[in-house]
Amino acid sequence: MKILPGPASKELGERIASFLGVEPTPVFFKAFPDGESYVRIEGLVEGETAVIVQTTSPPQDQRLIQLALMVDAAKRNNAETVVAVVPYLAYARQDKVFLKGEPISIEAIARMLKAAGVDSLITVNIHEKNVLAKFPFPARNLSAIPLLAEHFKQRGFRDAFALAPDKGAVGIVQEAAKVLGCECGYLEKHRDRYTGLVSVEKREFNVKGRTAIIFDDIISTGGTIVAAATLLYELGAAEVYAACVHPLLVGEAEKRLREAGVKEVIGTDSVPSHVSKVSLAPLIAQALRELQSG
Ligand code: R5P
């Protein structure tokens, strides 16, 4: 098995290789003056399982193209099988037609990856895991929530209240609460499909004077966490933390979170940033070991 860290996940790819006790296979990358991507695999993959590690957080389109180019290069260099490890899989939130005339973006992306030569895919906390059944190759979804919850447990947050900011994150918060051994709850969220504005239904939770942790798959603009944190403080929470697998943190998201009183954001290296305090490397390395042993 050869581990090829793509330009978007260089450190994560190297950490995965180190967990597996193998040397990473370098991939050279540059951008042409007009912006087009160039990649070159600087090692042998012939007859091997080539594992390409490339997240597709912003700039999503460029990173998807780089991924497709690396997959093509691996196939051309006679890799036996190409496994795409894509911790954050872009376009996964457009998993159905919400408004007439829209595409199902994630299905189009999966077909594009198949055409490039992907044989199987591993992703982490995809927004809706049922979409994987429609992919034209085997695809596995891993959960990083136990790792995130363990991070808080190690810091002594056992009496915290864990909150899912919407119904879609109920499974996530239940997983976290199990590790932390704490109480949990969820909110009903509404997002205006045209303006993107988020509102949450008022609910009562026993959070007075307590620490609360909001768990979600993605923090993008921060609107969801801001709405949930505001309610928690209205209910008397002492401190509110936010944890997510994919800290996209676009634009002024961090500023908005700070202004809403969120004490700290903890994310994973699915999307490398200064909040990526939890690494996915052990989780992905274990999935690759299982893949290898059939
Ligand atoms: C959507 O349902 C997701 O689980 C996240 O809650 C959402 O993507 C977060 O986006 P934002 O930070 O822009 O509210």
Side-chain angles (χ1 to χ4, degrees):
M1 181 175 274
K2 297 281 182 175
I3 308 295
L4 287 71
S9 295
K10 198 167 176 315
E11 284 173 13
L12 174 60
E14 287 169 359
R15 283 188 202 122
I16 293 170
S18 152
F19 265 92
L20 293 171
V22 299
E23 275 302 310
T25 301
V27 178
F28 176 78
F29 158 79
K30 70 173 182 180
F32 286 109
D34 62 0
E36 287 182 0
S37 296
Y38 170 91
V39 299
R40 187 177 66 243
I41 298 173
E42 297 186 310
L44 298 177
V45 291
E46 184 165 354
E48 300 276 357
T49 296
V51 178
I52 297 171
V53 185
Q54 169 88 343
T55 205
T56 56
S57 51
Q60 299 89 330
D61 298 358
Q62 185 192 57
R63 289 174 166 182
L64 280 166
I65 293 292
Q66 290 167 348
L67 173 61
L69 298 181
M70 287 184 283
V71 172
D72 184 81
K75 272 280 155 81
R76 258 169 226 289
N77 285 278
N78 302 317
E80 189 185 282
T81 311
V82 176
V83 180
V85 172
V86 190
Y88 176 70
L89 186 53
Y91 292 96
R93 282 177 289 178
Q94 182 75 28
D95 57 2
K96 51 175 86 86
V97 172
F98 297 97
L99 300 174
K100 190 172 168 350
E102 291 177 347
I104 300 185
S105 308
I106 191 58
E107 290 187 17
I109 296 295
R111 287 197 303 273
M112 187 189 97
L113 293 176
K114 171 75 181 170
V118 168
D119 293 304
S120 70
L121 179 138
I122 295 175
T123 188
V124 182
N125 291 99
I126 188 164
H127 186 60
E128 169 51 67
K129 61 178 183 295
N130 293 336
V131 301
L132 298 178
K134 298 245 177 77
F135 281 21
F137 40 70
R140 182 170 175 196
N141 181 49
L142 308 175
S143 177
I145 298 302
L147 290 175
L148 279 168
E150 191 58 38
H151 171 93
F152 284 98
K153 191 173 173 180
Q154 294 301 326
R155 290 171 57 178
F157 283 63
R158 286 185 179 81
D159 293 327
F161 182 85
L163 181 74
D166 59 30
K167 246 186 169 168
V170 168
I172 281 179
V173 87
Q174 285 171 344
E175 249 186 298
K178 202 166 157 198
V179 174
L180 281 158
C182 71
E183 261 184 89
C184 66
Y186 72 94
L187 290 172
E188 293 278 1
K189 174 176 93 177
H190 172 75
R191 188 189 293 274
D192 186 301
R193 291 256 155 235
Y194 294 96
T195 64
L197 285 179
V198 171
S199 58
V200 292
E201 178 208 31
K202 291 230 171 340
R203 287 199 166 177
E204 291 298 326
F205 299 114
N206 174 25
V207 291
K208 208 170 171 53
R210 292 172 67 188
T211 296
I213 313 169
I214 307 166
F215 284 90
D216 208 350
D217 54 349
I218 302 168
I219 301 179
S220 180
T221 64
T224 302
I225 300 290
V226 166
T230 306
L231 177 67
L232 286 166
Y233 280 122
E234 275 170 26
L235 295 174
E239 294 183 322
V240 177
Y241 289 76
C244 72
V245 180
H246 312 294
L248 301 182
L249 298 173
V250 301
E252 301 221 300
E254 281 196 88
K255 184 167 169 263
R256 295 179 70 196
L257 295 169
R258 249 194 329 273
E259 285 170 1
V262 174
K263 280 215 68 171
E264 193 182 346
V265 178
I266 298 291
T268 79
D269 53 2
S270 158
V271 183
S273 91
H274 67 102
V275 306
S276 305
K277 305 266 167 61
V278 173
S279 180
L280 299 176
L283 181 72
I284 294 172
Q286 180 56 28
L288 291 171
R289 275 189 211 107
E290 288 166 15
L291 189 80
Q292 209 167 19
S293 63

